[in-house]
Amino acid sequence: MLNLHRLFLLHELRRLETMSAVARAHSMSPSAVSQQLSHLERETKVTLFQQVGRRVVLTDAGVRLARRAEEMLGLLEAAEAELADAQGEAGGLLRVASFQTPMIALAPAAVSVLAQRHPALHLELGQQEVDEAYEGLLARRYDVILGEDYPGGQQVVRRGTDREALLTDPLLLVLPDVGPWSGARRFADLAEAPWALDPPQSRTGIWSRTHLRSVGVEPQVRFTTPDPLLQVHLVRSGHAVAFVPGIIASEHLGGTRVLRLLGDPHRSLYTAARAGAAQHPSLLAFRSALLEAAESLSALEDLETLGT
């Protein structure tokens, strides 16, 4: 009988393409990965990979077996989900990765819902940006992740995953309550303003710089941080202006002036899990709790819209 862990490593070699990448993803040494895959090759009595220059490349037989391994891993997770459903209760450990704003705005309420309704379910929640979270999901370090898509950006959909929409979140401008930037009515009034923005390679950072340049503003970025609460504090203290997501606006923007943007741009938040586990009761309970937390957010009303 073929060893499932070795099949998983073969699947990972197909996904990540190098032994060293597989080793890094699973806290193994490259030699240990190589040893396990060589053992699998001896078990199958078929050449699964070959050396091409300095790289190991899967043979046609290796690719076919790696695809079957992916199918088997999915079937195993589906079987586990069915068994968990037969027990009739969401329970055990659910490992979650999320970027920061859902952890601020949604996680506490979702955890409270789960503690009340599913006390046997325990969350292990870690902060990760979307790309790193997806890698952890595919490597089976996480069971479910939270992600985001921005206007004009490429929608992230990974093969072998199940994606479910969570909410659409308005992207807002936040200005100091007092000072030279507090009375801005259009983007032209902010041509010389200091900005607090996310790092330029992040999804938020790419969107914010693209949006500003589309309205004729080359931002003077004085503060680069992925922390929205720090950005808001810099605004509140009069040191910067910034964009903020709507889900933190109602609770954390006291002492600032919040405006909608022309065209009302929104980002889309979603959860993603491996497809085989899509019907696992623990995952279903978590997604339901998140949706309930999202529905409880305070609505943003009577906000002025900034002109171009």
Side-chain angles (χ1 to χ4, degrees):
M1 185 176 294
L2 297 177
N3 181 280
L4 190 61
H5 176 64
R6 293 176 189 133
L7 288 170
F8 171 61
L9 291 177
L10 185 71
H11 158 68
E12 287 291 86
L13 180 59
R14 177 174 174 248
R15 182 175 74 86
L16 298 172
E17 298 184 342
T18 67
M19 294 273 194
S20 57
V22 175
R24 285 193 302 272
H26 298 284
S27 302
M28 299 172 68
S29 68
S31 61
V33 174
S34 177
Q35 185 179 50
Q36 289 297 307
L37 291 176
S38 295
H39 197 150
L40 178 64
E41 194 171 52
R42 290 194 296 272
E43 287 177 335
T44 62
K45 299 181 175 62
V46 172
T47 301
L48 300 176
F49 49 86
Q50 58 191 9
Q51 196 79 27
V52 177
R54 300 180 63 182
R55 293 185 57 195
V56 169
V57 177
L58 291 178
T59 63
D60 290 345
V63 170
R64 288 195 296 271
L65 184 58
R67 287 174 177 163
R68 291 297 188 191
E70 183 176 19
E71 294 172 9
M72 283 185 269
L73 291 163
L75 287 170
L76 178 61
E77 284 199 305
E80 290 172 343
E82 290 171 0
L83 290 171
D85 185 58
Q87 294 170 4
E89 174 97 31
L93 178 66
L94 189 72
R95 301 164 300 170
V96 183
S98 172
F99 60 103
Q100 190 174 11
T101 49
M103 292 184 73
I104 295 169
L106 300 177
V111 170
S112 295
V113 168
L114 291 172
Q116 180 179 10
R117 297 180 187 169
H118 305 283
L121 176 59
H122 303 286
L123 293 188
E124 187 176 274
L125 184 60
Q127 183 176 326
Q128 288 281 353
E129 293 305 310
V130 179
D131 290 335
E132 291 80 6
Y134 255 118
E135 285 304 306
L137 177 68
L138 295 173
R140 288 166 165 71
R141 292 193 300 274
Y142 304 119
D143 301 307
V144 58
I145 67 169
L146 280 82
E148 58 180 346
D149 288 326
Y150 275 82
Q154 185 177 7
Q155 189 181 69
V156 179
V157 181
R158 301 289 182 94
R159 192 188 76 231
T161 63
D162 177 80
R163 173 172 157 150
E164 183 174 285
L166 177 56
L167 59 84
T168 56
D169 189 25
L171 297 163
L172 307 171
L173 177 70
V174 58
L175 305 176
D177 236 356
V178 296
W181 319 115
S182 61
R185 300 294 176 193
R186 54 199 181 102
F187 269 117
D189 299 332
L190 300 172
E192 303 300 321
W195 286 85
L197 296 180
D198 281 55
Q201 70 277 11
S202 68
R203 282 179 172 78
T204 313
I206 292 169
W207 173 83
S208 59
R209 288 163 177 79
T210 301
H211 186 80
L212 286 169
R213 288 165 185 153
S214 74
V215 295
V217 175
E218 183 60 38
Q220 298 186 31
V221 184
R222 299 288 172 77
F223 307 96
T224 301
T225 172
D227 185 341
L229 297 186
L230 176 55
Q231 292 178 9
V232 169
H233 182 62
L234 289 165
V235 174
R236 186 181 294 114
S237 55
H239 297 301
V241 300
F243 293 117
V244 295
I247 60 173
I248 68 166
S250 61
E251 298 292 334
H252 300 280
L253 298 187
T256 66
R257 179 179 170 226
V258 186
L259 299 96
R260 292 192 183 275
L261 300 173
L262 199 65
D264 198 23
H266 284 62
R267 64 175 180 169
S268 299
L269 273 59
Y270 60 88
T271 58
R274 290 182 299 279
Q279 296 304 310
H280 196 288
S282 296
L283 175 63
L284 296 176
F286 176 70
R287 282 175 158 170
S288 176
L290 272 181
L291 287 170
E292 187 169 331
E295 290 168 359
S296 71
L297 292 173
S298 301
L300 298 168
E301 298 177 350
D302 302 323
L303 295 183
E304 180 185 350
T305 298
L306 185 78
T308 56

